[in-house]
């Protein structure tokens, strides 16, 4: 049975049936400080050219900084990085405290221990209701095929049964 979109929480629950991975998107703000947040709205868009997207809520404290940053990095979290997912979704907190990272292509922070990372040039921003859709061109990327991913489904962290 289907229903009209009258209850945002119910819609959110239904959308949560779509299982995803989790990423931490990072950049360097105009003051030179690393910024980042947890997202599960990451998606591949195109292979040629190499484009990816993610969505940022219009209420984000980092919206202007991501708009201004020429590059950002998308760090795909591994199964043992649930604490990082929580840390980068919590405010206020020093999200990078004690965290090993290095500047990738264009300077955006690439985190250690992730399943994969994509260093992207900020190509365009498309309005998407109460979110902004950031489309980026992948300049460099890396992967750790031996690491299992952290998953998100129905509002809970999950892991692959096979790995
Ligand atoms: C699993 C998970 C997925 C999330 N996905 C998104 C997302 O795709 N886009 C977004 O804007 N916020 C998302 N959030 C919420 C942000 O991480 C959270 O609101 C964060 O505090 C925003 O930080 P900022 O205001 O400093 O940018 C997600 C949180 C979690 C735990």
């Amino acid at each position: 049975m289907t229903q009209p979109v009258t209850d945002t929480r119910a819609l959110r629950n239904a959308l949560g049936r779509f299982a995803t991975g989790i990423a931490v998107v990072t950049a360097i703000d105009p003051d030179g400080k690393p910024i980042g947040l947890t997202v599960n709205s990451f998606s591949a868009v195109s292979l040629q050219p190499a484009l990816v997207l993610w969505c940022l809520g219009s209420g984000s404290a980092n919206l202007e900084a991501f708009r201004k940053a020429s590059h950002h990095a998308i760090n795909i979290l591994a199964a043992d990085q649930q604490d990082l997912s929580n840390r980068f979704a919590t405010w206020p907190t020093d999200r990078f405290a004690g965290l090993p990272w290095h500047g990738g292509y264009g300077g955006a922070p690439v985190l250690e221990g992730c399943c994969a990372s994509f260093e992207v040039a900020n190509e365009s921003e498309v309005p998407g209701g109460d979110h902004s859709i950031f489309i980026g061109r992948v300049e460099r990327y890396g992967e750790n095929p031996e690491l299992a991913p952290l998953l998100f489904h129905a509002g809970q962290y999950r892991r692959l049964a096979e790995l």
Side-chain angles (χ1 to χ4, degrees), residues 73-121:
I74 295 156
N75 300 275
I76 310 298
L77 297 188
D80 66 354
Q81 292 180 310
Q82 193 173 314
D83 57 329
L84 277 194
S85 175
N86 289 331
R87 186 203 284 216
F88 278 85
T90 307
W91 189 90
T93 180
D94 181 358
R95 294 176 176 174
F96 286 85
L99 195 62
W101 62 272
H102 69 271
Y105 192 95
V110 175
L111 309 184
E112 282 188 14
C114 293
C115 286
S117 60
F118 301 92
E119 301 161 38
V120 312

Side-chain angles (χ1 to χ4, degrees):
M1 198 155 90
T2 64
Q3 59 183 311
V5 181
T6 50
D7 180 344
T8 306
R9 184 181 293 196
L11 173 64
R12 188 184 174 136
N13 288 345
L15 291 169
R17 294 283 157 197
F18 186 61
T20 67
I22 301 184
V24 168
V25 184
T26 60
I28 299 294
D29 78 6
D31 297 329
K33 284 192 306 211
I35 57 166
L37 78 153
T38 301
V39 308
N40 69 340
S41 53
F42 170 72
S43 178
V45 175
S46 161
L47 285 177
Q48 287 183 317
L51 299 175
V52 295
L53 70 74
W54 60 287
C55 304
L56 181 59
S58 0
S60 165
N62 290 312
L63 179 56
E64 286 309 317
F66 275 111
R67 280 182 172 151
K68 287 182 178 140
S70 62
H71 292 76
H72 49 258
I74 295 156
N75 300 275
I76 310 298
L77 297 188
D80 66 354
Q81 292 180 310
Q82 193 173 314
D83 57 329
L84 277 194
S85 175
N86 289 331
R87 186 203 284 216
F88 278 85
T90 307
W91 189 90
T93 180
D94 181 358
R95 294 176 176 174
F96 286 85
L99 195 62
W101 62 272
H102 69 271
Y105 192 95
V110 175
L111 309 184
E112 282 188 14
C114 293
C115 286
S117 60
F118 301 92
E119 301 161 38
V120 312
N122 187 2
E123 187 111 313
S124 56
E125 179 188 343
V126 180
D130 56 13
H131 280 62
S132 279
I133 305 160
F134 283 86
I135 299 174
R137 190 179 64 252
V138 180
E139 301 280 9
R140 292 183 63 81
Y141 66 95
E143 62 170 328
N144 285 316
E146 73 281 5
L147 292 181
L150 181 62
L151 304 180
F152 199 64
H153 175 253
Q156 296 196 342
Y157 293 112
R158 311 275 187 179
R159 287 164 194 233
L160 284 181
E162 300 86 45
L163 289 174

